[in-house]
Amino acid sequence: MYLPDRIRKKVDKLAYGINSVGMSGASVLCYDDMVLKIGRDAEDHERSKAMLSYLEGKLPAPRIIEACEENGLCYMLMTRIKGKMACAGEYMDNAAELLPILADGIKLLWRVDTHGCPQQNMLDTRLAHARRSVELGLCDEDNVQPGTYGPDGFSSPKELYAWLAANRPDEERVFSHGDLCLPNVFIDGGRISGFIDLGWAGVTDIYQDIALCYRSLVNNRDGKYGTAHPYFDADALFSLLDIEPDRDKLYYYTMLDELF
């Protein structure tokens, strides 16, 4: 595999494995203590660089070792987070342990000081990105929540976008991971050891993370990605967060993510 010199010098002759979990379309090579992400999304690459630099010392997250672009590809070599993904079977089979850890992780994100945050991802920004994805035909209509499209849902991404634009909820600003699915949360020793894939991190509504974490929790529990796990009440997450769930905002931010 070809690698730019500044990356190759760091990883040459080191053994690695391929991480196939995730939907970013990037290649992820896992070394003992480093991770190399290779992709074509230059915007995500720049957002990730900005946020990882900003979050150093503020949140458990990878540290950038080297980052560069060459021949249309973006390379980012980072430190590897210890532990296992929150969707690992040992966690999904033990909701009594997992749910409090996830709630603690969300609260950890909320505590990040947003002063000087380089990314403001409120609805103006996210809807503009969604509109562009619709216009360019980039929306995946197959890998979506059941009922998103079809007789009981929207006729197309264009109709979904129009509904989102017409039904914007009030926003409560917090620091957000931006894509808080279980594979992006790592646990070690009974606590959050780190967050990965922070390209959409920044200031946004409180329900951005709540909705995607809740959806990921239910989907992994119910076997959408393979093995189903013992039934548990995912709604217990809300009481652990000390909030009364706003079902309308849960639905809104879940549908918004279908255009990303």
Side-chain angles (χ1 to χ4, degrees):
M1 175 187 296
Y2 172 80
L3 295 174
D5 285 346
R6 57 195 293 186
I7 301 291
R8 181 179 52 78
K9 290 177 181 177
K10 302 286 187 181
V11 303
D12 197 27
K13 298 181 180 179
L14 295 178
Y16 64 87
I18 304 293
N19 179 7
S20 59
V21 178
M23 299 164 57
S24 68
S27 297
V28 180
L29 282 57
C30 297
Y31 300 87
D32 282 345
D33 56 0
M34 296 181 290
V35 171
L36 175 60
K37 183 175 181 180
I38 307 171
R40 295 186 178 277
D41 190 337
E43 289 187 14
D44 178 74
H45 182 73
E46 291 303 317
R47 289 195 305 263
S48 296
K49 282 199 302 182
M51 289 312 303
L52 289 178
S53 296
Y54 174 74
L55 289 171
E56 191 166 348
K58 297 183 177 72
L59 196 71
R63 178 178 57 80
I64 297 174
I65 299 171
E66 289 286 355
C68 63
E69 299 180 44
E70 192 170 307
N71 299 324
L73 289 175
C74 303
Y75 299 84
M76 187 174 295
L77 183 65
M78 302 164 281
T79 55
R80 183 172 179 174
I81 299 295
K82 294 181 179 180
K84 295 182 179 180
M85 294 176 179
C87 56
E90 65 193 77
Y91 299 126
M92 291 303 305
D93 290 339
N94 187 0
E97 177 185 7
L98 175 62
L99 290 174
I101 293 174
L102 290 175
D104 287 346
I106 293 173
K107 292 175 182 178
L108 185 62
L109 290 161
W110 293 346
R111 288 196 293 269
V112 172
D113 183 0
T114 59
H115 179 72
C117 182
Q119 292 188 174
Q120 303 293 313
N121 295 328
M122 305 303 286
L123 279 176
D124 284 343
T125 298
R126 295 189 69 87
L127 285 172
H129 188 278
R131 180 179 62 192
R132 187 179 68 172
S133 294
V134 171
E135 291 172 348
L136 295 176
L138 301 177
C139 303
D140 185 348
E141 296 182 50
D142 297 319
N143 188 29
V144 295
Q145 288 297 103
T148 299
Y149 301 114
D152 299 321
F154 298 95
S155 63
S156 65
K158 183 177 180 180
E159 185 183 48
L160 171 54
Y161 171 77
W163 181 87
L164 291 166
N167 291 276
R168 294 174 52 152
D170 293 336
E171 297 176 85
E172 179 182 348
R173 298 166 65 93
V174 296
F175 184 82
S176 164
H177 178 286
D179 187 17
L180 197 64
C181 301
L182 299 194
N184 290 336
V185 181
F186 276 68
I187 299 172
D188 188 44
R191 58 186 295 179
I192 298 291
S193 55
F195 300 93
I196 65 168
D197 287 349
L198 288 146
W200 272 106
V203 180
T204 191
D205 183 71
I206 191 171
Y207 267 83
Q208 173 66 39
D209 282 350
I210 294 173
L212 297 200
C213 184
Y214 178 75
R215 178 192 65 183
S216 185
L217 189 63
V218 172
N219 285 343
N220 278 277
R221 178 196 68 188
D222 294 347
K224 181 177 180 180
Y225 307 112
T227 303
H229 300 273
Y231 178 80
F232 57 85
D233 185 7
D235 283 15
L237 179 67
F238 303 122
S239 62
L240 290 166
L241 292 171
D242 302 317
I243 63 169
E244 186 69 28
D246 184 328
R247 300 291 174 180
D248 291 337
K249 291 187 80 171
L250 282 171
Y251 179 73
Y252 185 93
Y253 281 94
T254 300
M255 289 298 99
L256 176 59
D257 192 63
E258 302 296 12
L259 300 183
F260 280 72

PDB file of all heavy atoms in Angstrom, residues 213-246:
ATOM      1  N   CYS A 213     -27.216   8.634  19.876  1.00  0.00           N
ATOM      2  CA  CYS A 213     -26.817   7.624  20.856  1.00  0.00           C
ATOM      3  C   CYS A 213     -27.987   6.681  21.141  1.00  0.00           C
ATOM      4  O   CYS A 213     -27.818   5.457  21.166  1.00  0.00           O
ATOM      5  CB  CYS A 213     -26.344   8.289  22.138  1.00  0.00           C
ATOM      6  SG  CYS A 213     -25.735   7.125  23.374  1.00  0.00           S
ATOM      7  N   TYR A 214     -29.173   7.236  21.325  1.00  0.00           N
ATOM      8  CA  TYR A 214     -30.369   6.434  21.589  1.00  0.00           C
ATOM      9  C   TYR A 214     -30.669   5.507  20.411  1.00  0.00           C
ATOM     10  O   TYR A 214     -30.924   4.315  20.586  1.00  0.00           O
ATOM     11  CB  TYR A 214     -31.546   7.354  21.865  1.00  0.00           C
ATOM     12  CG  TYR A 214     -32.846   6.642  22.114  1.00  0.00           C
ATOM     13  CD1 TYR A 214     -33.093   5.988  23.320  1.00  0.00           C
ATOM     14  CD2 TYR A 214     -33.852   6.641  21.149  1.00  0.00           C
ATOM     15  CE1 TYR A 214     -34.296   5.346  23.554  1.00  0.00           C
ATOM     16  CE2 TYR A 214     -35.062   5.998  21.370  1.00  0.00           C
ATOM     17  CZ  TYR A 214     -35.283   5.354  22.576  1.00  0.00           C
ATOM     18  OH  TYR A 214     -36.475   4.710  22.803  1.00  0.00           O
ATOM     19  N   ARG A 215     -30.626   6.053  19.186  1.00  0.00           N
ATOM     20  CA  ARG A 215     -30.871   5.234  17.997  1.00  0.00           C
ATOM     21  C   ARG A 215     -29.864   4.101  17.888  1.00  0.00           C
ATOM     22  O   ARG A 215     -30.226   2.945  17.609  1.00  0.00           O
ATOM     23  CB  ARG A 215     -30.784   6.110  16.738  1.00  0.00           C
ATOM     24  CG  ARG A 215     -30.979   5.346  15.432  1.00  0.00           C
ATOM     25  CD  ARG A 215     -30.607   6.181  14.224  1.00  0.00           C
ATOM     26  NE  ARG A 215     -29.191   6.515  14.209  1.00  0.00           N
ATOM     27  CZ  ARG A 215     -28.621   7.289  13.290  1.00  0.00           C
ATOM     28  NH1 ARG A 215     -29.351   7.848  12.344  1.00  0.00           N
ATOM     29  NH2 ARG A 215     -27.325   7.537  13.344  1.00  0.00           N
ATOM     30  N   SER A 216     -28.596   4.403  18.107  1.00  0.00           N
ATOM     31  CA  SER A 216     -27.544   3.390  18.003  1.00  0.00           C
ATOM     32  C   SER A 216     -27.715   2.319  19.067  1.00  0.00           C
ATOM     33  O   SER A 216     -27.517   1.119  18.810  1.00  0.00           O
ATOM     34  CB  SER A 216     -26.172   4.062  18.125  1.00  0.00           C
ATOM     35  OG  SER A 216     -25.128   3.144  17.925  1.00  0.00           O
ATOM     36  N   LEU A 217     -28.094   2.738  20.245  1.00  0.00           N
ATOM     37  CA  LEU A 217     -28.319   1.804  21.345  1.00  0.00           C
ATOM     38  C   LEU A 217     -29.432   0.823  20.996  1.00  0.00           C
ATOM     39  O   LEU A 217     -29.282  -0.398  21.147  1.00  0.00           O
ATOM     40  CB  LEU A 217     -28.665   2.592  22.602  1.00  0.00           C
ATOM     41  CG  LEU A 217     -28.732   1.856  23.937  1.00  0.00           C
ATOM     42  CD1 LEU A 217     -27.370   1.283  24.297  1.00  0.00           C
ATOM     43  CD2 LEU A 217     -29.204   2.816  25.025  1.00  0.00           C
ATOM     44  N   VAL A 218     -30.548   1.329  20.494  1.00  0.00           N
ATOM     45  CA  VAL A 218     -31.690   0.477  20.136  1.00  0.00           C
ATOM     46  C   VAL A 218     -31.342  -0.433  18.967  1.00  0.00           C
ATOM     47  O   VAL A 218     -31.649  -1.632  18.973  1.00  0.00           O
ATOM     48  CB  VAL A 218     -32.920   1.342  19.818  1.00  0.00           C
ATOM     49  CG1 VAL A 218     -34.050   0.483  19.245  1.00  0.00           C
ATOM     50  CG2 VAL A 218     -33.398   2.075  21.064  1.00  0.00           C
ATOM     51  N   ASN A 219     -30.696   0.120  17.936  1.00  0.00           N
ATOM     52  CA  ASN A 219     -30.361  -0.687  16.759  1.00  0.00           C
ATOM     53  C   ASN A 219     -29.394  -1.811  17.086  1.00  0.00           C
ATOM     54  O   ASN A 219     -29.535  -2.933  16.589  1.00  0.00           O
ATOM     55  CB  ASN A 219     -29.766   0.205  15.663  1.00  0.00           C
ATOM     56  CG  ASN A 219     -30.814   1.054  14.959  1.00  0.00           C
ATOM     57  OD1 ASN A 219     -32.016   0.781  15.054  1.00  0.00           O
ATOM     58  ND2 ASN A 219     -30.373   2.079  14.253  1.00  0.00           N
ATOM     59  N   ASN A 220     -28.396  -1.507  17.909  1.00  0.00           N
ATOM     60  CA  ASN A 220     -27.445  -2.559  18.304  1.00  0.00           C
ATOM     61  C   ASN A 220     -28.121  -3.591  19.196  1.00  0.00           C
ATOM     62  O   ASN A 220     -27.853  -4.792  19.072  1.00  0.00           O
ATOM     63  CB  ASN A 220     -26.238  -1.940  19.009  1.00  0.00           C
ATOM     64  CG  ASN A 220     -25.217  -1.402  18.039  1.00  0.00           C
ATOM     65  OD1 ASN A 220     -24.383  -2.141  17.517  1.00  0.00           O
ATOM     66  ND2 ASN A 220     -25.276  -0.104  17.774  1.00  0.00           N
ATOM     67  N   ARG A 221     -28.986  -3.157  20.084  1.00  0.00           N
ATOM     68  CA  ARG A 221     -29.721  -4.088  20.948  1.00  0.00           C
ATOM     69  C   ARG A 221     -30.575  -5.042  20.120  1.00  0.00           C
ATOM     70  O   ARG A 221     -30.618  -6.247  20.381  1.00  0.00           O
ATOM     71  CB  ARG A 221     -30.617  -3.302  21.918  1.00  0.00           C
ATOM     72  CG  ARG A 221     -31.457  -4.173  22.842  1.00  0.00           C
ATOM     73  CD  ARG A 221     -32.583  -3.392  23.476  1.00  0.00           C
ATOM     74  NE  ARG A 221     -33.584  -2.992  22.500  1.00  0.00           N
ATOM     75  CZ  ARG A 221     -34.603  -2.175  22.755  1.00  0.00           C
ATOM     76  NH1 ARG A 221     -34.736  -1.642  23.961  1.00  0.00           N
ATOM     77  NH2 ARG A 221     -35.482  -1.870  21.803  1.00  0.00           N
ATOM     78  N   ASP A 222     -31.247  -4.488  19.106  1.00  0.00           N
ATOM     79  CA  ASP A 222     -32.220  -5.266  18.344  1.00  0.00           C
ATOM     80  C   ASP A 222     -31.613  -6.071  17.207  1.00  0.00           C
ATOM     81  O   ASP A 222     -32.333  -6.733  16.461  1.00  0.00           O
ATOM     82  CB  ASP A 222     -33.306  -4.340  17.803  1.00  0.00           C
ATOM     83  CG  ASP A 222     -34.144  -3.717  18.915  1.00  0.00           C
ATOM     84  OD1 ASP A 222     -34.033  -4.184  20.064  1.00  0.00           O
ATOM     85  OD2 ASP A 222     -34.895  -2.771  18.637  1.00  0.00           O
ATOM     86  N   GLY A 223     -30.295  -6.005  17.031  1.00  0.00           N
ATOM     87  CA  GLY A 223     -29.630  -6.845  16.046  1.00  0.00           C
ATOM     88  C   GLY A 223     -29.582  -6.300  14.637  1.00  0.00           C
ATOM     89  O   GLY A 223     -29.375  -7.055  13.685  1.00  0.00           O
ATOM     90  N   LYS A 224     -29.726  -4.990  14.443  1.00  0.00           N
ATOM     91  CA  LYS A 224     -29.681  -4.421  13.100  1.00  0.00           C
ATOM     92  C   LYS A 224     -28.342  -4.676  12.426  1.00  0.00           C
ATOM     93  O   LYS A 224     -28.260  -4.816  11.207  1.00  0.00           O
ATOM     94  CB  LYS A 224     -29.966  -2.921  13.151  1.00  0.00           C
ATOM     95  CG  LYS A 224     -29.953  -2.269  11.761  1.00  0.00           C
ATOM     96  CD  LYS A 224     -30.317  -0.804  11.804  1.00  0.00           C
ATOM     97  CE  LYS A 224     -30.297  -0.202  10.388  1.00  0.00           C
ATOM     98  NZ  LYS A 224     -30.653   1.230  10.380  1.00  0.00           N
ATOM     99  N   TYR A 225     -27.271  -4.747  13.211  1.00  0.00           N
ATOM    100  CA  TYR A 225     -25.934  -4.911  12.640  1.00  0.00           C
ATOM    101  C   TYR A 225     -25.372  -6.314  12.857  1.00  0.00           C
ATOM    102  O   TYR A 225     -24.171  -6.526  12.720  1.00  0.00           O
ATOM    103  CB  TYR A 225     -24.986  -3.863  13.241  1.00  0.00           C
ATOM    104  CG  TYR A 225     -25.525  -2.464  13.116  1.00  0.00           C
ATOM    105  CD1 TYR A 225     -25.912  -1.745  14.245  1.00  0.00           C
ATOM    106  CD2 TYR A 225     -25.689  -1.866  11.871  1.00  0.00           C
ATOM    107  CE1 TYR A 225     -26.426  -0.461  14.128  1.00  0.00           C
ATOM    108  CE2 TYR A 225     -26.205  -0.594  11.745  1.00  0.00           C
ATOM    109  CZ  TYR A 225     -26.575   0.108  12.877  1.00  0.00           C
ATOM    110  OH  TYR A 225     -27.097   1.361  12.760  1.00  0.00           O
ATOM    111  N   GLY A 226     -26.243  -7.242  13.209  1.00  0.00           N
ATOM    112  CA  GLY A 226     -25.778  -8.612  13.419  1.00  0.00           C
ATOM    113  C   GLY A 226     -26.485  -9.254  14.596  1.00  0.00           C
ATOM    114  O   GLY A 226     -27.694  -9.460  14.572  1.00  0.00           O
ATOM    115  N   THR A 227     -25.739  -9.544  15.637  1.00  0.00           N
ATOM    116  CA  THR A 227     -26.271 -10.249  16.796  1.00  0.00           C
ATOM    117  C   THR A 227     -27.195  -9.367  17.623  1.00  0.00           C
ATOM    118  O   THR A 227     -26.848  -8.235  17.967  1.00  0.00           O
ATOM    119  CB  THR A 227     -25.117 -10.736  17.697  1.00  0.00           C
ATOM    120  OG1 THR A 227     -24.247 -11.557  16.925  1.00  0.00           O
ATOM    121  CG2 THR A 227     -25.653 -11.536  18.874  1.00  0.00           C
ATOM    122  N   ALA A 228     -28.378  -9.890  17.941  1.00  0.00           N
ATOM    123  CA  ALA A 228     -29.273  -9.196  18.867  1.00  0.00           C
ATOM    124  C   ALA A 228     -28.828  -9.497  20.292  1.00  0.00           C
ATOM    125  O   ALA A 228     -28.181 -10.507  20.568  1.00  0.00           O
ATOM    126  CB  ALA A 228     -30.708  -9.654  18.652  1.00  0.00           C
ATOM    127  N   HIS A 229     -29.175  -8.615  21.197  1.00  0.00           N
ATOM    128  CA  HIS A 229     -28.764  -8.752  22.591  1.00  0.00           C
ATOM    129  C   HIS A 229     -30.000  -8.758  23.480  1.00  0.00           C
ATOM    130  O   HIS A 229     -31.087  -8.367  23.055  1.00  0.00           O
ATOM    131  CB  HIS A 229     -27.806  -7.617  22.960  1.00  0.00           C
ATOM    132  CG  HIS A 229     -26.571  -7.610  22.122  1.00  0.00           C
ATOM    133  ND1 HIS A 229     -25.445  -8.351  22.431  1.00  0.00           N
ATOM    134  CD2 HIS A 229     -26.296  -6.994  20.942  1.00  0.00           C
ATOM    135  CE1 HIS A 229     -24.526  -8.166  21.497  1.00  0.00           C
ATOM    136  NE2 HIS A 229     -25.011  -7.348  20.588  1.00  0.00           N
ATOM    137  N   PRO A 230     -29.853  -9.215  24.710  1.00  0.00           N
ATOM    138  CA  PRO A 230     -31.019  -9.306  25.591  1.00  0.00           C
ATOM    139  C   PRO A 230     -31.766  -7.978  25.660  1.00  0.00           C
ATOM    140  O   PRO A 230     -31.147  -6.907  25.717  1.00  0.00           O
ATOM    141  CB  PRO A 230     -30.407  -9.668  26.950  1.00  0.00           C
ATOM    142  CG  PRO A 230     -29.127 -10.353  26.611  1.00  0.00           C
ATOM    143  CD  PRO A 230     -28.621  -9.663  25.380  1.00  0.00           C
ATOM    144  N   TYR A 231     -33.079  -8.075  25.653  1.00  0.00           N
ATOM    145  CA  TYR A 231     -33.884  -6.846  25.673  1.00  0.00           C
ATOM    146  C   TYR A 231     -33.604  -6.044  26.944  1.00  0.00           C
ATOM    147  O   TYR A 231     -33.492  -6.591  28.039  1.00  0.00           O
ATOM    148  CB  TYR A 231     -35.379  -7.150  25.604  1.00  0.00           C
ATOM    149  CG  TYR A 231     -36.203  -5.890  25.672  1.00  0.00           C
ATOM    150  CD1 TYR A 231     -36.380  -5.098  24.533  1.00  0.00           C
ATOM    151  CD2 TYR A 231     -36.717  -5.442  26.878  1.00  0.00           C
ATOM    152  CE1 TYR A 231     -37.083  -3.913  24.595  1.00  0.00           C
ATOM    153  CE2 TYR A 231     -37.428  -4.243  26.950  1.00  0.00           C
ATOM    154  CZ  TYR A 231     -37.604  -3.493  25.798  1.00  0.00           C
ATOM    155  OH  TYR A 231     -38.283  -2.308  25.868  1.00  0.00           O
ATOM    156  N   PHE A 232     -33.497  -4.735  26.781  1.00  0.00           N
ATOM    157  CA  PHE A 232     -33.427  -3.829  27.923  1.00  0.00           C
ATOM    158  C   PHE A 232     -34.111  -2.531  27.528  1.00  0.00           C
ATOM    159  O   PHE A 232     -34.294  -2.231  26.342  1.00  0.00           O
ATOM    160  CB  PHE A 232     -31.981  -3.582  28.366  1.00  0.00           C
ATOM    161  CG  PHE A 232     -31.084  -3.034  27.279  1.00  0.00           C
ATOM    162  CD1 PHE A 232     -31.020  -1.683  27.004  1.00  0.00           C
ATOM    163  CD2 PHE A 232     -30.277  -3.895  26.532  1.00  0.00           C
ATOM    164  CE1 PHE A 232     -30.189  -1.186  26.006  1.00  0.00           C
ATOM    165  CE2 PHE A 232     -29.442  -3.409  25.527  1.00  0.00           C
ATOM    166  CZ  PHE A 232     -29.394  -2.051  25.271  1.00  0.00           C
ATOM    167  N   ASP A 233     -34.510  -1.785  28.508  1.00  0.00           N
ATOM    168  CA  ASP A 233     -35.235  -0.537  28.276  1.00  0.00           C
ATOM    169  C   ASP A 233     -34.248   0.587  27.983  1.00  0.00           C
ATOM    170  O   ASP A 233     -33.663   1.164  28.897  1.00  0.00           O
ATOM    171  CB  ASP A 233     -36.090  -0.206  29.501  1.00  0.00           C
ATOM    172  CG  ASP A 233     -36.957   1.031  29.270  1.00  0.00           C
ATOM    173  OD1 ASP A 233     -36.986   1.529  28.123  1.00  0.00           O
ATOM    174  OD2 ASP A 233     -37.588   1.495  30.233  1.00  0.00           O
ATOM    175  N   ALA A 234     -34.068   0.896  26.694  1.00  0.00           N
ATOM    176  CA  ALA A 234     -33.132   1.945  26.304  1.00  0.00           C
ATOM    177  C   ALA A 234     -33.566   3.307  26.818  1.00  0.00           C
ATOM    178  O   ALA A 234     -32.733   4.218  26.974  1.00  0.00           O
ATOM    179  CB  ALA A 234     -32.988   1.983  24.784  1.00  0.00           C
ATOM    180  N   ASP A 235     -34.855   3.465  27.127  1.00  0.00           N
ATOM    181  CA  ASP A 235     -35.337   4.746  27.634  1.00  0.00           C
ATOM    182  C   ASP A 235     -34.754   5.081  29.007  1.00  0.00           C
ATOM    183  O   ASP A 235     -34.847   6.232  29.460  1.00  0.00           O
ATOM    184  CB  ASP A 235     -36.862   4.736  27.724  1.00  0.00           C
ATOM    185  CG  ASP A 235     -37.514   4.911  26.351  1.00  0.00           C
ATOM    186  OD1 ASP A 235     -36.806   4.745  25.339  1.00  0.00           O
ATOM    187  OD2 ASP A 235     -38.718   5.208  26.298  1.00  0.00           O
ATOM    188  N   ALA A 236     -34.161   4.089  29.668  1.00  0.00           N
ATOM    189  CA  ALA A 236     -33.513   4.368  30.952  1.00  0.00           C
ATOM    190  C   ALA A 236     -32.382   5.383  30.783  1.00  0.00           C
ATOM    191  O   ALA A 236     -31.986   6.042  31.752  1.00  0.00           O
ATOM    192  CB  ALA A 236     -32.970   3.075  31.561  1.00  0.00           C
ATOM    193  N   LEU A 237     -31.875   5.526  29.561  1.00  0.00           N
ATOM    194  CA  LEU A 237     -30.823   6.513  29.308  1.00  0.00           C
ATOM    195  C   LEU A 237     -31.282   7.915  29.693  1.00  0.00           C
ATOM    196  O   LEU A 237     -30.504   8.705  30.219  1.00  0.00           O
ATOM    197  CB  LEU A 237     -30.425   6.486  27.824  1.00  0.00           C
ATOM    198  CG  LEU A 237     -29.351   7.472  27.376  1.00  0.00           C
ATOM    199  CD1 LEU A 237     -28.008   7.132  28.011  1.00  0.00           C
ATOM    200  CD2 LEU A 237     -29.222   7.480  25.854  1.00  0.00           C
ATOM    201  N   PHE A 238     -32.551   8.224  29.437  1.00  0.00           N
ATOM    202  CA  PHE A 238     -33.045   9.577  29.704  1.00  0.00           C
ATOM    203  C   PHE A 238     -33.056   9.894  31.200  1.00  0.00           C
ATOM    204  O   PHE A 238     -32.693  11.003  31.606  1.00  0.00           O
ATOM    205  CB  PHE A 238     -34.442   9.758  29.104  1.00  0.00           C
ATOM    206  CG  PHE A 238     -34.496   9.479  27.630  1.00  0.00           C
ATOM    207  CD1 PHE A 238     -35.334   8.508  27.122  1.00  0.00           C
ATOM    208  CD2 PHE A 238     -33.682  10.173  26.751  1.00  0.00           C
ATOM    209  CE1 PHE A 238     -35.378   8.240  25.772  1.00  0.00           C
ATOM    210  CE2 PHE A 238     -33.713   9.913  25.388  1.00  0.00           C
ATOM    211  CZ  PHE A 238     -34.562   8.936  24.896  1.00  0.00           C
ATOM    212  N   SER A 239     -33.473   8.926  32.000  1.00  0.00           N
ATOM    213  CA  SER A 239     -33.478   9.183  33.444  1.00  0.00           C
ATOM    214  C   SER A 239     -32.059   9.336  33.974  1.00  0.00           C
ATOM    215  O   SER A 239     -31.796  10.130  34.886  1.00  0.00           O
ATOM    216  CB  SER A 239     -34.215   8.060  34.178  1.00  0.00           C
ATOM    217  OG  SER A 239     -33.568   6.810  33.984  1.00  0.00           O
ATOM    218  N   LEU A 240     -31.111   8.599  33.376  1.00  0.00           N
ATOM    219  CA  LEU A 240     -29.716   8.744  33.786  1.00  0.00           C
ATOM    220  C   LEU A 240     -29.146  10.105  33.392  1.00  0.00           C
ATOM    221  O   LEU A 240     -28.199  10.591  34.000  1.00  0.00           O
ATOM    222  CB  LEU A 240     -28.879   7.622  33.158  1.00  0.00           C
ATOM    223  CG  LEU A 240     -29.141   6.219  33.722  1.00  0.00           C
ATOM    224  CD1 LEU A 240     -28.539   5.159  32.809  1.00  0.00           C
ATOM    225  CD2 LEU A 240     -28.564   6.095  35.132  1.00  0.00           C
ATOM    226  N   LEU A 241     -29.740  10.713  32.359  1.00  0.00           N
ATOM    227  CA  LEU A 241     -29.334  12.059  31.938  1.00  0.00           C
ATOM    228  C   LEU A 241     -30.134  13.139  32.661  1.00  0.00           C
ATOM    229  O   LEU A 241     -29.913  14.336  32.435  1.00  0.00           O
ATOM    230  CB  LEU A 241     -29.525  12.215  30.420  1.00  0.00           C
ATOM    231  CG  LEU A 241     -28.597  11.399  29.530  1.00  0.00           C
ATOM    232  CD1 LEU A 241     -29.036  11.485  28.074  1.00  0.00           C
ATOM    233  CD2 LEU A 241     -27.157  11.854  29.682  1.00  0.00           C
ATOM    234  N   ASP A 242     -31.070  12.713  33.492  1.00  0.00           N
ATOM    235  CA  ASP A 242     -31.919  13.646  34.245  1.00  0.00           C
ATOM    236  C   ASP A 242     -32.747  14.543  33.331  1.00  0.00           C
ATOM    237  O   ASP A 242     -32.902  15.748  33.571  1.00  0.00           O
ATOM    238  CB  ASP A 242     -31.069  14.522  35.189  1.00  0.00           C
ATOM    239  CG  ASP A 242     -30.262  13.699  36.173  1.00  0.00           C
ATOM    240  OD1 ASP A 242     -30.817  12.737  36.732  1.00  0.00           O
ATOM    241  OD2 ASP A 242     -29.065  14.003  36.360  1.00  0.00           O
ATOM    242  N   ILE A 243     -33.278  13.943  32.254  1.00  0.00           N
ATOM    243  CA  ILE A 243     -34.128  14.710  31.343  1.00  0.00           C
ATOM    244  C   ILE A 243     -35.411  13.933  31.047  1.00  0.00           C
ATOM    245  O   ILE A 243     -35.444  12.700  31.129  1.00  0.00           O
ATOM    246  CB  ILE A 243     -33.422  15.031  30.010  1.00  0.00           C
ATOM    247  CG1 ILE A 243     -33.096  13.736  29.246  1.00  0.00           C
ATOM    248  CG2 ILE A 243     -32.179  15.873  30.211  1.00  0.00           C
ATOM    249  CD1 ILE A 243     -32.636  13.982  27.826  1.00  0.00           C
ATOM    250  N   GLU A 244     -36.448  14.675  30.708  1.00  0.00           N
ATOM    251  CA  GLU A 244     -37.677  14.083  30.188  1.00  0.00           C
ATOM    252  C   GLU A 244     -37.543  14.085  28.673  1.00  0.00           C
ATOM    253  O   GLU A 244     -37.356  15.140  28.059  1.00  0.00           O
ATOM    254  CB  GLU A 244     -38.893  14.915  30.609  1.00  0.00           C
ATOM    255  CG  GLU A 244     -40.234  14.308  30.246  1.00  0.00           C
ATOM    256  CD  GLU A 244     -40.571  13.060  31.031  1.00  0.00           C
ATOM    257  OE1 GLU A 244     -40.086  12.931  32.178  1.00  0.00           O
ATOM    258  OE2 GLU A 244     -41.305  12.206  30.487  1.00  0.00           O
ATOM    259  N   PRO A 245     -37.581  12.920  28.016  1.00  0.00           N
ATOM    260  CA  PRO A 245     -37.299  12.895  26.580  1.00  0.00           C
ATOM    261  C   PRO A 245     -38.295  13.707  25.759  1.00  0.00           C
ATOM    262  O   PRO A 245     -39.503  13.637  25.982  1.00  0.00           O
ATOM    263  CB  PRO A 245     -37.383  11.408  26.233  1.00  0.00           C
ATOM    264  CG  PRO A 245     -38.213  10.790  27.314  1.00  0.00           C
ATOM    265  CD  PRO A 245     -37.898  11.580  28.547  1.00  0.00           C
ATOM    266  N   ASP A 246     -37.764  14.484  24.835  1.00  0.00           N
ATOM    267  CA  ASP A 246     -38.565  15.224  23.869  1.00  0.00           C
ATOM    268  C   ASP A 246     -38.634  14.364  22.607  1.00  0.00           C
ATOM    269  O   ASP A 246     -37.693  14.348  21.803  1.00  0.00           O
ATOM    270  CB  ASP A 246     -37.912  16.582  23.584  1.00  0.00           C
ATOM    271  CG  ASP A 246     -38.734  17.459  22.658  1.00  0.00           C
ATOM    272  OD1 ASP A 246     -39.428  16.907  21.781  1.00  0.00           O
ATOM    273  OD2 ASP A 246     -38.673  18.699  22.796  1.00  0.00           O
TER     274      ASP A 246
END
